[in-house]
């Protein structure tokens, strides 16, 4: 992508992942081809998995020293409960156990065309749209759509915990 003058950014949040690809129109077709390869056939190189695992552990440790992050973590537990995915927080010990096979398995289960939305903006012509659609057809579904563990949600939608919280 660098050789095309394109910029790719990835924003990973608790409940979504967003890819932004910026490229000049004259190089958009080539950049979209590379992007679809990245999305549909990721390599998950060992070194990259190890690097990201280390970065995530560092982030977890930094958040433990940041009052605002501690407050957000505890607030999520209050709002969602500790069994809901949005109420859980990653732990260093758990992250360190993740393997390349774990990442591949997670990708295969949750990065699927039936769970994805692709939006295009800018100088997009019908040829580029058709080419992107054609490139994405190689993105095969494997297995059935995953059942997402949404944890316990109280019937009355009130917070799970009550009281005053001191951190």
């Amino acid at each position: 992508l660098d050789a095309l003058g394109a910029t790719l950014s990835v924003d990973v949040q608790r409940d979504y992942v967003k890819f932004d690809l910026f490229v000049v129109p004259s190089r958009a077709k080539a950049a979209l081809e590379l992007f679809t390869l990245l999305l549909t056939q990721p390599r998950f190189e060992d070194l990259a998995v190890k690097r990201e695992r280390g970065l995530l552990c560092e982030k977890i440790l930094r958040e433990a020293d940041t009052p605002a992050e501690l407050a957000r973590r505890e607030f999520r537990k209050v709002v969602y409960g500790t069994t809901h995915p949005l109420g859980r927080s990653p732990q260093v010990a758990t992250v360190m156990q993740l393997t390349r096979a774990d990442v591949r398995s997670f990708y295969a289960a949750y990065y699927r065309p039936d769970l994805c939305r692709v939006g295009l903006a800018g100088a997009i012509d019908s040829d580029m749209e058709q080419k992107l659609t054609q490139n994405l057809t190689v993105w095969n579904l494997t297995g059935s759509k995953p059942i997402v563990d949404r944890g316990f949600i109280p019937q009355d939608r009130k917070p799970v915990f009550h009281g005053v919280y001191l951190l």
Side-chain angles (χ1 to χ4, degrees):
L1 289 172
D2 288 342
L4 296 172
T7 303
L8 175 68
S9 64
V10 182
D11 180 18
V12 179
Q13 298 296 319
R14 290 179 172 277
D15 54 348
Y16 70 88
V17 176
K18 179 177 78 168
F19 297 88
D20 287 322
L21 176 64
F22 299 96
V23 63
V24 296
S26 62
R27 304 239 174 115
K29 286 182 185 179
L32 284 173
E33 285 188 30
L34 289 174
F35 175 73
T36 55
L37 280 175
L38 176 136
L39 186 61
T40 62
Q41 301 171 41
R43 293 188 307 226
F44 300 117
E45 296 171 347
D46 287 325
L47 189 59
V49 170
K50 185 177 180 180
R51 180 186 64 241
E52 291 301 320
R53 191 174 49 221
L55 289 172
L56 181 54
C57 287
E58 286 297 319
K59 181 181 178 197
I60 293 166
L61 293 172
R62 272 194 322 275
E63 287 177 352
D65 293 333
T66 308
E69 286 300 323
L70 287 173
R72 279 193 266 297
R73 182 187 70 202
E74 296 306 312
F75 179 74
R76 285 191 302 268
K77 287 180 189 176
V78 169
V79 172
Y80 298 107
T82 56
T83 63
H84 189 280
L86 293 176
R88 299 180 201 145
S89 295
Q91 304 296 314
V92 170
T94 306
V95 171
M96 289 307 295
Q97 293 175 6
L98 290 174
T99 66
R100 179 180 185 211
D102 294 329
V103 175
R104 281 190 170 284
S105 177
F106 183 87
Y107 170 84
Y110 295 99
Y111 284 68
R112 307 161 41 101
D114 59 340
L115 296 175
C116 174
R117 304 292 178 268
V118 176
L120 301 173
I124 305 296
D125 60 29
S126 61
D127 288 342
M128 278 196 283
E129 185 180 349
Q130 287 175 348
K131 184 67 173 170
L132 178 63
T133 302
Q134 180 185 359
N135 288 348
L136 288 174
T137 60
V138 301
W139 197 8
N140 296 320
L141 289 173
T142 54
S144 58
K145 195 171 184 178
I147 298 172
V148 178
D149 174 12
R150 301 210 190 297
F152 171 74
I153 300 175
Q155 293 291 0
D156 56 7
R157 300 276 191 208
K158 292 182 181 173
V160 177
F161 302 107
H162 304 281
V164 176
Y165 304 92
L166 301 174
L167 301 177

